[in-house]
Amino acid sequence: MKLNELVKHLSHSSLMCARVDIGYWWAKYYHKIYDPPGPAMMRGNAVEYGCAHFHNGGEFDDPVEEAEKEYTKRLGKQAAFGSNDAIEKERANIKPMVEQYRTLWGEKVPALEDLQRRIEIEVDGLSVPIIGFTDFGFEDSIWDLKTTTRMPSDITFDHRHQGAIYQQAAGNKAIKFAYVTPKKAAVYTLENNPDDWHAVCSMALRLQNFVEQFDTPEELTASVIPNYDTFYWRSQNARSEGQRIYGF
């Protein structure tokens, strides 16, 4: 089999999935299992939407109100899996998270030059490109917004790899990660470490090598072990699909 017959591109999230649980990666990209986003993901998207309005909204736009409306809109479009308690818990996180993000800026708030800009990088020996979408683009930096309930003391391991992808298309712009919890906010600047990009390329090429060891999809399906302890299998639907695909 060829990787470019299976997927059109790789991404940070795809590579992290393959690293953590190759069984889920294969179930997602070949067997096409799909789970709706959970309340936490919808909350993260809504907070990002509100923070974008903080930069580019009108004089009378309320970033918190915009974020809360976006959360309700997303819930209406596609039901998230999770209890009503979880949905309302994440709704309650929106206001303090947006407000914490606002504390990262002084009186002069720069406008966004771009939002969710798609980038694409070719890697020698890899049959598909690696893509990414940058959150907030400013004149001198690219920011990735991470909403979380636990504040890290530095850029996390997997986020360094995500940032390394952005650096390939950033030119002279700095890559910054803004971590926001309901109680704190912090910004960390990613150092330009060639080892991080080397790790991304190595993971992509190793994933390609793995897929190409098999002649048929059935052989690969029979050769991987899904790790049902990972968060990828958190919904009952995903676990049921895993049992259907892998037989246990």
Side-chain angles (χ1 to χ4, degrees), residues 1 3 125-126 202-214 220:
M1 293 189 302
L3 181 65
L126 190 65
S202 295
M203 285 188 286
L205 291 168
R206 286 168 183 264
L207 179 59
Q208 177 174 262
N209 290 342
F210 172 75
V211 170
E212 294 184 354
Q213 295 300 309
F214 300 92
L220 198 155

Side-chain angles (χ1 to χ4, degrees), residues 234-248:
R234 60 194 179 276
S235 77
Q236 182 58 50
N237 175 68
R239 292 191 294 273
S240 295
E241 285 293 285
Q243 184 171 14
R244 177 184 65 81
I245 293 165
Y246 295 113
F248 67 97

Side-chain angles (χ1 to χ4, degrees), residues 167-218:
Q167 281 178 328
Q168 307 311 303
N172 294 325
K173 292 186 178 183
I175 305 296
K176 297 177 181 287
F177 283 83
Y179 291 92
V180 175
T181 78
K183 296 181 179 180
K184 296 179 181 179
V187 178
Y188 305 122
T189 301
L190 181 68
E191 295 181 0
N192 192 351
N193 186 342
D195 289 344
D196 290 333
W197 177 238
H198 174 71
V200 172
C201 295
S202 295
M203 285 188 286
L205 291 168
R206 286 168 183 264
L207 179 59
Q208 177 174 262
N209 290 342
F210 172 75
V211 170
E212 294 184 354
Q213 295 300 309
F214 300 92
D215 292 328
T216 67
E218 291 75 19

